[in-house]
Amino acid sequence: MPTPEGGEPKVSGVAGGNGAAPADGGGTAASSPSPSALTPEAYKAELDSRHKSMAGAISAMAGARGVKALDQRVTRAEQALSGAADALAALTPPDTVRAQHEAYVTSLRDFATGLGTTEGKVGGRNLCTSAAVLSDLDDKLAALDEAGEALQSAGDYPADVVDVKAGRKQTRRLSNGSFIRKGTTLNGRSSLEIDNGATRDAVVTVMRGGSKAFSIYVRKKAKFKVRGVRDGNYKIYFTHGVDWDGKSKAFSRECSFERFQKTVKFKTTFTATQIRWHDWRLTLHAISGGNAPTSTVDPDDFPG
């Protein structure tokens, strides 16, 4: 009978100008008359003309899937709300809602400013999901919602542009070695050991051709061995981050996306006296002598 033997090749990765005042000839300067306040009907029409674009921009941002789409929608929301704030600030509302109008415009500006800051955080991969963005803007979103409701209740004015809620900031983690997906049966002879010595948790996704063989969660400073890997050539991707959002199947903060440049091959060889197979060990952090370079992956190209 052939006897089983195993080898263990090792691979690792690195991861107005100031003009003079006019002379008044000894008299007093005439002041410009204040613009007339809009009628309630005209004011409603002004609000209504901007309501759809603002509410749509906020909802679209909240529904973004993927980092790149989120980045684009945060930008669009910032532009929509900033433009609306400028336009509404130039209006003279009915006297009965002047205070509510001013509070609404201030909240629009504050939220738009917050979106501008958040845009940089999304671009820098500090925020990676729409839920993380909403949580980061929680106070400004709540203030805008409150101001819009106050203006609406004062005269049935269409100012309710916020129909999403921000959740609290979380740091969710799965247990080490949790399978997020199993696309194939693990009934082979080989094993894949994953060593995540990095400072953030990771999800490793193993692809065979165009199909996902499995995705597995490996906590920071931890290892896990996947047994039963079947023969074949595999491409290996991994993402690091903080706070695993199970619904989005992504880290919500401090995310990165990489892949090993080389394909990993698992092969079982049978002889008259032996059965030999390959076991592999992947290191998700930089080590001396590492021999498997990694490349950054566009988030849109990362297998979800």
Side-chain angles (χ1 to χ4, degrees):
M1 292 288 292
T3 58
E5 294 184 3
E8 190 183 355
K10 301 181 186 298
V11 297
S12 57
V14 297
N18 295 320
D24 59 11
T28 57
S31 59
S32 299
S34 299
S36 299
L38 294 172
T39 64
E41 291 74 16
Y43 183 56
K44 285 182 181 180
E46 291 286 352
L47 288 171
D48 193 51
S49 68
R50 295 170 179 85
H51 180 275
K52 184 176 180 180
S53 63
M54 288 193 291
I58 294 173
S59 295
M61 179 185 69
R65 296 290 179 266
V67 180
K68 290 182 70 175
L70 179 62
D71 197 3
Q72 294 167 354
R73 294 184 187 186
V74 168
T75 299
R76 292 171 191 163
E78 187 276 331
Q79 293 171 346
L81 271 71
S82 180
D86 289 343
L88 293 175
L91 302 179
T92 303
D95 289 339
T96 55
V97 294
R98 186 181 297 273
Q100 292 90 334
H101 170 84
E102 292 176 353
Y104 185 56
V105 170
T106 297
S107 291
L108 283 173
R109 288 198 191 283
D110 287 347
F111 190 64
T113 300
L115 285 169
T117 301
T118 296
E119 184 180 359
K121 295 179 182 179
V122 175
R125 304 294 186 260
N126 294 313
L127 300 175
C128 311
T129 64
S130 58
V133 167
L134 294 177
S135 177
D136 191 61
L137 294 168
D138 184 22
D139 55 341
K140 293 179 173 58
L141 186 70
L144 177 57
D145 192 24
E146 182 178 348
E149 289 180 354
L151 180 54
Q152 178 172 282
S153 63
D156 196 27
Y157 293 110
D160 55 331
V161 295
V162 179
D163 59 0
V164 297
K165 297 296 181 184
R168 61 184 177 84
K169 185 177 180 179
Q170 301 182 72
T171 304
R172 295 161 289 184
R173 306 174 75 192
L174 298 181
S175 299
N176 190 54
S178 295
F179 279 94
I180 296 169
R181 179 183 174 90
K182 275 188 183 179
T184 59
T185 303
L186 294 173
N187 59 0
R189 295 182 179 273
S190 300
S191 67
L192 174 65
E193 183 177 0
I194 302 163
D195 182 357
N196 181 21
T199 58
R200 293 168 294 158
D201 290 357
V203 170
V204 177
T205 298
V206 179
M207 301 289 295
R208 184 178 182 183
S211 301
K212 186 182 294 185
F214 57 85
S215 290
I216 193 162
Y217 194 98
V218 184
R219 287 193 169 197
K220 62 182 181 180
K221 308 299 182 183
K223 301 177 183 178
F224 188 79
K225 181 179 285 188
V226 181
R227 303 181 186 277
V229 181
R230 302 169 67 180
D231 288 0
N233 296 320
Y234 296 85
K235 293 181 180 179
I236 300 179
Y237 297 76
F238 59 98
T239 175
H240 280 110
V242 174
D243 182 41
W244 179 253
D245 185 337
K247 183 177 180 180
S248 299
K249 288 186 170 52
F251 288 109
S252 71
R253 302 190 303 277
E254 298 179 40
C255 59
S256 62
F257 305 88
E258 299 177 72
R259 69 174 178 86
F260 284 94
Q261 294 179 2
K262 295 180 180 179
T263 299
V264 174
K265 183 176 182 178
F266 292 91
K267 182 179 180 180
T268 303
T269 303
F270 297 84
T271 70
T273 59
Q274 295 178 329
I275 303 174
R276 300 183 62 85
W277 63 88
H278 289 86
D279 294 327
W280 291 93
R281 179 171 179 260
L282 299 177
T283 304
L284 305 184
H285 56 281
I287 63 171
S288 177
N291 60 357
T294 63
S295 298
T296 300
V297 176
D298 187 306
D300 283 356
D301 295 331
F302 194 87

